[in-house]
Amino acid sequence: MQCFAGNPYPLGATVHEDGVNFALFSANASQVVLCLFDSSGRETDRICIKQSNRHIWHIYVKGIGAGQRYGFRVDGPYQPHLGHRFNVNKLLLDPYTKALSGKFIPHDSHYAYDAGSKDEDLSFDNRDNAAYMPKSVVVDTRHVKQAKGPMRPISDNIIYEMHVKGFTIQHPQLDDDIKGTFAGLADDNIITYLKDLGINSVELLPVQAFFDEPFLQAKNLSNYWGYNSMCFLAPHPGYLAGDDIFEFRAMVDKFHQAGIEVILDVVYNHSAEGNHLGPTYCFRGIDNASYYRLHPNDQRFYINDTGCGNTLNITHPRVLQLVMDSLRYWVQVMGVDGFRFDLASCLGRESYGFDRGSGFLDAVAQDPVLCQIKLIAEPWDIGPGGYQLGNFPQEWSEWNDRYRDTMRRFWRGDGGMLAEFARRFHGSGDLFEHSGRSPSATINFITSHDGFTLNDLVSYNERHNDINGENSRDGHQENFSYNHGVEGQTDDKTINALRLRQQKNLLTTLILAQGVPMLLAGDEVGHSQQGNNNAYCQDNALSWRDWSAEENNNDLSDYCKKLIALRHRYPLLRHPHFIHQPESSKEPGLFWFSRQGEVMSKSLWSESQTRTLSLMLTGFLQGDSSTEQQALLLMLNADDSPNTFCFPEVAEIRRWNCVLHTQDMHSPDEEYSPKQCFELQDKSLMVFHAHLIRT
């Protein structure tokens, strides 16, 4: 083994024919040591890196290659009040590591200070933590071919939010050795299920390597969701069936072959190192003052716009470079089709506040790789001015919580919701259209990983999070849910029938609304978390997909399949532009009516006690190749009582055909006269189709 100066670029460990180049950024370090380990985790060599070019420490080690385990020890001042937390006794992960070897073991030696003192500024811990830390692994990506995904417009996507482990761990047809892994997710049984459901895009909860928070470790709980990332280029080891990280790429390729896109939920707003009393794994020990946003008056403390203890300093050019390099890696090497950015307001925040022209957002916009993929923002954080729904650049889509809350309140029966319902169903044009964005800017969802499941939304008035160990103080307090008479599960057939109708109603307005629908995995079969609306630490059957539930909820599952098929069948349900009153018969139209079939007027919109509404879409429903105009009509009864509905007067329609309904009292007729009126059951809806006859 021989050592040479090497090169400062690219950062991380780069494999060459006869060795490996290592490059690590640290602006404030006084010394950087490269530590090499064998496959058992035993340290074999320590090499002092002497070359530093523009704050990048680099060295070329000849005689090693892919599979080499390594880490860094970084020395410098330990002055927390000035933002410096160097401790050369701590083995640190490479921010650019692409794989990890060995398990993370919680231990007090991970703290740079004496963890028992509770004052990190007055103590210094000399213990070596290497025995308890996973090691970075050198990975050779030189010969990986770039993946080719379906590349469909996001307006055509049906997004399915799922958890790698939770979705597969209990599947009865998977081999035990691949349950809970990327290989399990790539199994034909899983892909067939998704295709039969009509899903063409999966959004995976975080798969970048993450650690459990110390406070969860103390309670024998774990971070099940994974929103505690530590290594932005490495797949989470717990999701690998073996040691090969390209198991992830093989999964992506299988999804692409089935016409399904893969979107990753990514966390670049904070790291697993926590607040000023947290452990040292990577960034904190490499260059705390560069990687994190610190309070200007006392740099011992972190700015906490994330609620997770720290906030990454995305405005620093090297931190921004790390995020951009990570994103390109997951696209070009691992093959993913897009990203959903957790707490994305953090990424767009400059020193003066959120800016849609921030360094990060501009960097993404001009990047020749990232400008072509799906970009989805969670448009809020807890920092000042953190709620930014509707304010991201044109190429972005955004999670729309106003859609979520409106649909929940409308079907719960809240008063005064008609106008707000119409705005959200129309694609939230009031939030997005003014800046030239399309309906695909809104990611519509009723439920997500964070909050009640669909079943629990109609079964619980209150959150029941006691098993999380926080006395049910965690999780959303206002869920706009309703238990319909009994809190939790019941044998009452009338209540259960009503709850089933409500789940179908909510799914219908989700799938048929303008915008991009996102379905939470398991909602199509009525998965319940027993009222827990913050199951982030429940890595157990409470959160895992119950595959036996599919057999018990065929009615809901079949209905969901029909809904999704309807959206795929009619492109007008996913129109690329906002639909308004048409100026000619050739343009698509969206019309709103009262249950009596009258065109909605200002006075009708303002009736606070009215809980019924009808809407009609007209146009070339089969796409641009169709020469026949058609119409879809949706009648909604969110009232607690049955109501009589009449069809709107449309001269070009001779008959209406019922294509979907959520009633359980009786089966509606298949055909209806345009002049016909009929009773629609309480808390139910009907969907009709008709041909427009032009004379």
Side-chain angles (χ1 to χ4, degrees):
M1 188 171 62
Q2 296 176 290
C3 298
F4 303 92
N7 296 302
Y9 186 83
L11 288 161
T14 306
V15 177
H16 295 268
E17 291 300 324
D18 60 351
V20 178
N21 191 85
F22 296 91
L24 178 74
F25 162 75
S26 180
N28 295 290
S30 61
Q31 183 185 54
V32 174
V33 177
L34 171 67
C35 302
L36 303 182
F37 298 83
D38 62 20
S39 59
S40 69
R42 180 179 64 89
E43 188 169 352
T44 60
D45 296 276
R46 288 193 182 187
I47 306 170
C48 184
I49 302 178
K50 299 179 180 180
Q51 297 293 326
S52 177
N53 187 348
R54 298 181 182 179
H55 303 310
I56 296 177
W57 301 73
H58 53 90
I59 191 170
Y60 187 90
V61 182
K62 186 177 180 180
I64 62 173
Q68 174 67 57
R69 277 71 168 170
Y70 71 101
F72 295 104
R73 299 180 190 274
V74 183
D75 203 2
Y78 185 78
Q79 301 169 326
H81 282 283
L82 298 178
H84 302 308
R85 295 174 177 269
F86 294 100
N87 188 328
V88 75
N89 302 290
K90 309 305 172 184
L91 183 73
L92 306 172
L93 295 168
D94 181 358
Y96 276 80
T97 187
K98 299 178 177 68
L100 296 177
S101 174
K103 291 185 177 180
F104 168 76
I105 302 173
H107 195 266
D108 282 350
S109 64
H110 293 307
Y111 293 81
Y113 67 99
D114 180 1
S117 73
K118 303 303 180 186
D119 188 347
E120 84 286 7
D121 200 35
L122 300 178
S123 59
F124 187 80
D125 189 277
N126 293 308
R127 288 175 293 177
D128 190 332
N129 69 331
Y132 310 101
M133 277 290 287
K135 312 305 184 289
S136 299
V137 181
V138 176
V139 175
D140 188 358
T141 61
R142 290 175 296 169
H143 306 297
V144 178
K145 294 182 179 179
Q146 190 166 340
K148 294 183 180 180
M151 292 292 290
R152 67 172 57 87
I154 193 171
S155 57
D156 290 345
N157 278 15
I158 306 285
I159 300 176
Y160 191 71
E161 191 194 33
M162 63 196 304
H163 189 282
V164 172
K165 180 178 180 179
F167 198 73
T168 60
I169 192 68
Q170 295 193 113
H171 197 291
Q173 294 176 297
L174 299 187
D175 294 336
D176 289 343
D177 60 346
I178 65 171
K179 289 182 177 180
T181 69
F182 300 125
L185 206 57
D187 188 88
D188 290 340
N189 289 287
I190 300 297
I191 291 178
T192 298
Y193 176 83
L194 295 173
K195 286 184 66 66
D196 288 347
L197 184 58
I199 300 302
N200 59 18
S201 178
V202 296
E203 183 176 304
L204 303 180
L205 266 66
V207 302
Q208 295 169 331
F210 58 87
F211 292 166
D212 297 329
E213 295 90 335
F215 78 91
L216 289 178
Q217 299 165 14
K219 294 188 289 186
N220 292 318
L221 295 172
S222 62
N223 191 319
Y224 169 67
W225 287 350
Y227 290 92
N228 207 38
S229 298
M230 198 64 256
C231 304
F232 297 143
L233 285 83
H236 185 59
Y239 297 158
L240 293 170
D243 296 327
D244 185 2
I245 64 166
F246 293 107
E247 177 186 322
F248 179 89
R249 171 60 186 270
M251 176 203 72
V252 172
D253 289 343
K254 283 287 293 289
F255 274 99
H256 285 172
Q257 291 168 15
I260 301 173
E261 295 183 340
V262 178
I263 296 172
L264 297 189
D265 197 334
V266 289
V267 185
Y268 295 112
N269 54 77
H270 76 282
S271 84
E273 292 182 310
N275 65 14
H276 63 289
L277 295 175
T280 296
Y281 303 136
C282 179
F283 308 122
R284 177 171 283 151
I286 293 173
D287 192 349
N288 184 71
S290 295
Y291 277 104
Y292 292 111
R293 297 182 63 214
L294 307 177
H295 275 285
N297 296 331
D298 187 347
Q299 297 185 76
R300 169 188 175 190
F301 298 104
Y302 296 83
I303 292 174
N304 187 20
D305 291 339
T306 65
C308 300
N310 63 59
T311 305
L312 284 173
N313 185 15
I314 201 74
T315 61
H316 190 288
R318 291 302 181 197
V319 183
L320 176 59
Q321 180 184 1
L322 170 63
V323 173
M324 298 296 290
D325 289 346
S326 168
L327 292 171
R328 280 191 298 270
Y329 174 80
W330 286 101
V331 174
Q332 294 180 301
V333 176
M334 290 302 195
V336 304
D337 304 283
F339 302 96
R340 178 266 189 188
F341 293 83
D342 181 63
L343 302 182
S345 294
C346 277
L347 306 180
R349 182 178 282 110
E350 299 288 344
S351 59
Y352 49 83
F354 180 85
D355 186 345
R356 65 185 302 168
S358 70
F360 170 75
L361 295 176
D362 281 349
V364 171
Q366 63 78 44
D367 189 279
V369 174
L370 302 180
C371 70
Q372 301 182 60
I373 64 169
K374 308 307 196 285
L375 300 168
I376 301 172
E378 182 185 40
W380 52 77
D381 63 16
I382 67 168
Y387 190 75
Q388 293 294 331
L389 179 64
N391 291 330
F392 277 75
Q394 283 203 354
E395 60 271 19
W396 286 70
S397 299
E398 303 175 34
W399 271 29
N400 190 343
D401 63 328
R402 287 185 62 179
Y403 173 92
R404 175 198 65 194
D405 294 347
T406 297
M407 296 303 161
R408 289 183 177 192
R409 294 185 62 196
F410 175 80
W411 284 112
R412 189 172 67 170
D414 291 11
M417 295 303 299
L418 295 185
E420 183 69 4
F421 176 93
R423 283 190 284 268
R424 301 304 141 233
F425 193 92
H426 178 237
S428 296
D430 58 323
L431 299 174
F432 301 105
E433 190 176 14
H434 66 279
S435 58
R437 299 167 74 183
S438 69
S440 61
T442 173
I443 303 296
N444 297 328
F445 65 104
I446 303 294
T447 57
S448 68
H449 67 276
D450 187 5
F452 280 141
T453 67
L454 186 63
N455 185 313
D456 291 355
L457 184 66
V458 300
S459 303
Y460 293 89
N461 286 347
E462 306 294 336
R463 57 192 171 179
H464 297 266
N465 300 355
D466 289 341
I467 60 175
N468 293 354
E470 299 179 48
N471 297 318
S472 282
R473 293 190 301 267
D474 60 309
H476 295 297
Q477 183 174 359
E478 180 53 79
N479 299 281
F480 304 113
S481 61
Y482 182 45
N483 65 19
H484 298 91
V486 175
E487 186 75 354
Q489 297 180 359
T490 179
D491 293 327
D492 189 306
K493 293 183 178 179
T494 300
I495 292 178
N496 285 332
L498 175 55
R499 288 176 175 176
L500 178 60
R501 289 204 307 277
Q502 287 286 63
Q503 291 177 75
K504 291 180 178 179
N505 292 334
L506 288 160
L507 286 173
T508 303
T509 46
L510 171 66
I511 301 299
L512 300 189
Q514 297 294 300
V516 182
M518 186 187 78
L519 177 67
L520 174 64
D523 275 356
E524 74 276 14
V525 294
H527 174 73
S528 172
Q529 293 177 168
Q530 300 175 23
N532 192 321
N533 76 343
N534 190 34
Y536 76 103
C537 56
Q538 299 302 321
D539 187 1
N540 50 52
L542 182 76
S543 299
W544 299 340
R545 171 69 153 79
D546 180 7
W547 289 92
S548 65
E550 184 180 7
E551 299 177 0
N552 300 327
N553 292 277
N554 280 336
D555 189 8
L556 183 60
S557 178
D558 290 345
Y559 183 83
C560 192
K561 291 178 183 178
K562 293 176 182 177
L563 259 179
I564 294 175
L566 193 68
R567 184 176 179 91
H568 286 314
R569 180 181 177 186
Y570 295 123
L572 198 60
L573 292 171
R574 50 188 195 277
H575 201 270
H577 307 292
F578 282 99
I579 302 173
H580 298 288
Q581 294 284 347
E583 296 181 0
S584 71
S585 61
K586 295 182 179 180
E587 296 180 358
L590 176 59
F591 308 89
W592 300 92
F593 304 95
S594 70
R595 64 182 177 87
Q596 292 85 6
E598 303 173 286
V599 175
M600 291 294 288
S601 61
K602 284 187 177 181
S603 60
L604 289 174
W605 282 119
S606 62
E607 290 184 358
S608 62
Q609 299 307 309
T610 299
R611 296 171 176 83
T612 58
L613 191 64
S614 293
L615 63 98
M616 183 174 67
L617 275 168
T618 63
F620 297 101
L621 298 182
Q622 299 288 358
D624 294 337
S625 61
S626 173
T627 58
E628 185 178 36
Q629 287 189 306
Q630 302 169 61
L632 287 176
L633 177 67
L634 182 59
M635 293 181 172
L636 312 167
N637 182 16
D639 208 336
D640 292 327
S641 302
N643 279 289
T644 299
F645 278 72
C646 299
F647 289 102
E649 292 187 13
V650 182
E652 297 88 351
I653 293 177
R654 300 290 182 265
R655 70 175 186 276
W656 287 100
N657 296 92
C658 178
V659 293
L660 274 178
H661 70 90
T662 62
Q663 298 186 88
D664 57 29
M665 297 291 290
H666 64 277
S667 180
D669 298 332
E670 291 185 3
E671 291 189 3
Y672 289 81
S673 165
K675 297 183 179 181
Q676 192 172 343
C677 295
F678 57 92
E679 189 174 84
L680 189 57
Q681 185 182 0
D682 60 292
K683 302 293 185 185
S684 67
L685 58 80
M686 294 182 71
V687 183
F688 300 89
H689 171 263
H691 294 274
L692 294 176
I693 301 174
R694 300 295 184 186
T695 57

